[in-house]
Amino acid sequence: MPNLSHRSKLSPVLPDERRTVFAAGTMFFLLLCSYYVLRPVRDEMAVQMGTESLKWLFSATFAGMLLLMPLFGWLVSRFRRALLVPLVLGFFVCHMLAFRVAMQEPSEVRQIAAVFFVWVSVFNLFAVSLFWSLMADLFDLAQAERVFGVIAVGGTLGAVAGPALTAGLVATTGIADLLLISAMLLTAALSSSIPLLRRPPRHGPRPAGGEATGGSAWEGLMLVLRSPYLLWFCVFLTLHSFVGTVLYFEQTRIVKDAFPTAEARTAFFARVDLAVNVLTALAQVFGLAPLVRRFGLSVALMLLPFLTALGLIALGLSPVLAVLVIFGVLRRAGEYAIARPAREMLFTVLPRAVKYKAKNFIDTAVFRGADAVSSWITDALRAAGHAGGTLAFLTLPAALAGILIGWRLGRTRRILDIEERERPHDTDDSRPRPAADAEPDRSTRPGPRGP
């Protein structure tokens, strides 16, 4: 018994869990590898559509999310996982093969570019959400605390391998055959899920986010509207989205002029994704916790807007591809490794019902809605003659406002945390359980997101 305890301290995975965790990590590796093979192709489709079409692409993505999220929730509630996982992943494999056939004719690529752009975003959301729903069904809360981080390593490696494959193969295979490669990887992910689907679900306490909280989807909206804290968070997220949208517009414009062929542009996007994911993985080794312990959550929240402001000044002074790439890679890596985990920490002071209902609304409607609105604002600024350095300087106030709001949110979260710790708790279960007594927030699972 002492030996087992000592071994579990060295590795969070217990001996009887290793086979399941390995299968889960392998599935997540193949899933994200498949997605990141496609992501550079999606960015190339945006280039072929042109910057004037981006606002429609972002709006269509937002509308698709709103329409399909209830459908996905219905499927999850109606079908057993042994049927649901093959059904959803097989659905996406069939679509990949259909797109591959359509893209073999170069004259038809532009005609399906818009559909493919929206489809990849939907694939990302549904596939990753489905994976973590399966994990929540297989592991209880105590296991999730130990093994989810290990499983997420598989996804990180897949996020590195996917763009590396695209960058190395696109010049030889062409764009259409990348979809065949992605379909093969997703089929392998489905095969690796078979031993997981055969396992019975655990009966211990479920991982946070895996339990129903009741109520309607509109409750998340009402909870946000009644909370100044959450409203400021939505403003913070919207400003972040606006800057990201401006950079995506500029990337699409500059890359189109810099590279003569679709294959060259796809390889470029893949190398950028590779750099982002490698840098993110390295940053995650050091973790967010030391930064928060040393400087506080406010500094962690302010860091990305501050770096963004510096990057916008550099881009305004020199709106060229090299500056855009360096700025974009650092910003996206900072988002995945620091900013997003720091934002998740803001929810830990909220009661459980508020945490999950409001967070689900923010992660879907607010985030994608902000992308859509930002794309229309950016297009209007470009139509007014603002592009390149001028557009970067016009975007600078959004980054500066993000610095101030990040500081405010971190300070408010600290005050709420102190008040919660000092408030005497009774045993009345009819009241919402405060965040200090609730299980850790794992409602957002590791996975890709964003434009």
Side-chain angles (χ1 to χ4, degrees):
M1 192 69 170
N3 291 335
L4 177 61
S5 174
H6 177 69
R7 184 167 24 184
S8 66
K9 290 180 180 179
L10 296 178
S11 172
V13 182
L14 300 181
D16 64 337
E17 299 167 337
R18 289 173 184 167
R19 185 170 298 180
T20 303
V21 171
F22 178 78
T26 300
M27 180 183 176
F28 201 29
F29 169 86
L30 293 166
L31 190 66
L32 287 196
C33 189
S34 173
Y35 166 72
Y36 272 101
V37 167
L38 293 181
R39 183 183 163 112
V41 180
R42 186 205 69 166
D43 292 338
E44 166 56 21
M45 296 299 103
V47 171
Q48 296 200 24
M49 291 293 294
T51 55
E52 67 278 0
S53 300
L54 286 180
K55 60 182 182 292
W56 297 107
L57 296 178
F58 278 84
S59 299
T61 301
F62 174 53
M65 295 294 183
L66 291 183
L67 291 174
L68 294 175
M69 281 300 293
L71 173 61
F72 182 69
W74 181 83
L75 289 172
V76 170
S77 65
R78 290 298 183 108
F79 291 92
R80 294 179 295 109
R81 58 190 169 100
L83 178 62
L84 181 64
V85 172
L87 181 68
V88 173
L89 296 187
F91 172 83
F92 285 120
V93 168
C94 292
H95 276 209
M96 290 178 187
L97 297 177
F99 278 122
R100 190 252 181 177
V101 172
M103 287 185 181
Q104 284 183 311
E105 180 57 48
S107 61
E108 297 182 6
V109 171
R110 180 175 170 82
Q111 298 176 17
I112 65 171
V115 177
F116 184 80
F117 184 96
V118 176
W119 178 88
V120 171
S121 300
V122 172
F123 165 58
N124 169 28
L125 173 71
F126 277 56
V128 174
S129 178
L130 180 66
F131 173 80
W132 286 112
S133 295
L134 175 60
M135 294 302 102
D137 200 23
L138 289 176
F139 297 100
D140 61 33
L141 180 60
Q143 290 175 309
E145 291 178 341
R146 291 186 290 101
V147 305
F148 274 14
V150 178
I151 294 171
V153 171
T156 300
L157 295 176
V160 172
L165 281 173
T166 298
L169 295 177
V170 65
T172 303
T173 64
I175 291 178
D177 282 343
L178 289 175
L179 275 75
L180 182 59
I181 294 171
S182 182
M184 293 170 61
L185 289 166
L186 191 58
T187 302
L190 177 55
S191 299
S192 68
S193 72
I194 293 175
L196 300 174
L197 298 175
R198 290 175 175 171
R199 290 183 62 87
R202 295 285 181 172
H203 298 290
R206 310 313 305 162
E211 301 172 359
T213 56
S216 68
W218 292 107
E219 287 190 45
L221 171 61
M222 300 310 299
L223 290 169
V224 170
L225 293 178
R226 288 197 295 262
S227 170
Y229 180 67
L230 291 176
L231 285 173
W232 277 113
F233 180 84
C234 291
V235 173
F236 185 67
L237 193 63
T238 300
L239 293 172
H240 170 78
S241 175
F242 174 64
V243 175
T245 302
V246 169
L247 293 177
Y248 196 79
F249 269 70
E250 284 302 290
Q251 172 183 277
T252 302
R253 178 185 66 84
I254 294 176
V255 169
K256 185 175 184 178
D257 296 334
F259 298 95
T261 67
E263 289 76 15
R265 291 189 295 266
T266 303
F268 165 79
F269 289 131
R271 288 192 293 269
V272 169
D273 283 346
L274 178 61
V276 169
N277 293 335
V278 169
L279 191 59
T280 300
L282 293 175
Q284 287 174 339
V285 171
F286 300 98
L288 176 66
L291 177 66
V292 174
R293 284 197 300 266
R294 183 173 179 84
F295 301 105
L297 182 59
S298 291
V299 172
L301 292 167
M302 294 165 62
L303 181 60
L304 186 61
F306 176 75
L307 294 177
T308 298
L310 295 180
L312 288 171
I313 293 173
L315 190 61
L317 295 175
S318 181
V320 296
L321 182 62
V323 175
L324 179 66
V325 169
I326 295 172
F327 176 27
V329 167
L330 292 176
R331 184 176 185 273
R332 283 175 56 193
E335 158 71 3
Y336 296 146
I338 298 175
R340 186 183 297 173
R343 291 199 302 264
E344 299 303 326
M345 294 178 67
L346 293 173
F347 288 89
T348 59
V349 293
L350 300 176
R352 183 178 182 275
V354 178
K355 185 189 306 181
Y356 295 116
K357 292 176 184 177
K359 191 175 187 308
N360 181 66
F361 173 78
I362 291 171
D363 284 347
T364 54
V366 173
F367 190 84
R368 291 303 179 185
D371 284 345
V373 172
S374 298
S375 67
W376 285 87
I377 295 174
T378 305
D379 187 73
L381 291 173
R382 290 176 54 82
H386 302 297
T390 304
L391 186 59
F393 282 123
L394 288 175
T395 311
L396 183 59
L400 297 176
I403 297 174
L404 297 177
I405 296 175
W407 173 82
R408 177 191 177 99
L409 286 171
R411 182 173 179 272
T412 303
R413 193 264 187 198
R414 182 172 179 271
I415 293 172
L416 291 174
D417 187 46
I418 293 174
E419 290 177 349
E420 183 55 46
R421 292 176 184 276
E422 293 178 349
R423 183 183 300 122
H425 298 138
D426 54 35
T427 58
D428 184 3
D429 290 335
S430 65
R431 300 181 182 180
R433 185 174 295 276
D437 291 342
E439 56 267 24
D441 181 12
R442 290 177 185 82
S443 56
T444 297
R445 309 300 185 191
R449 178 177 167 190

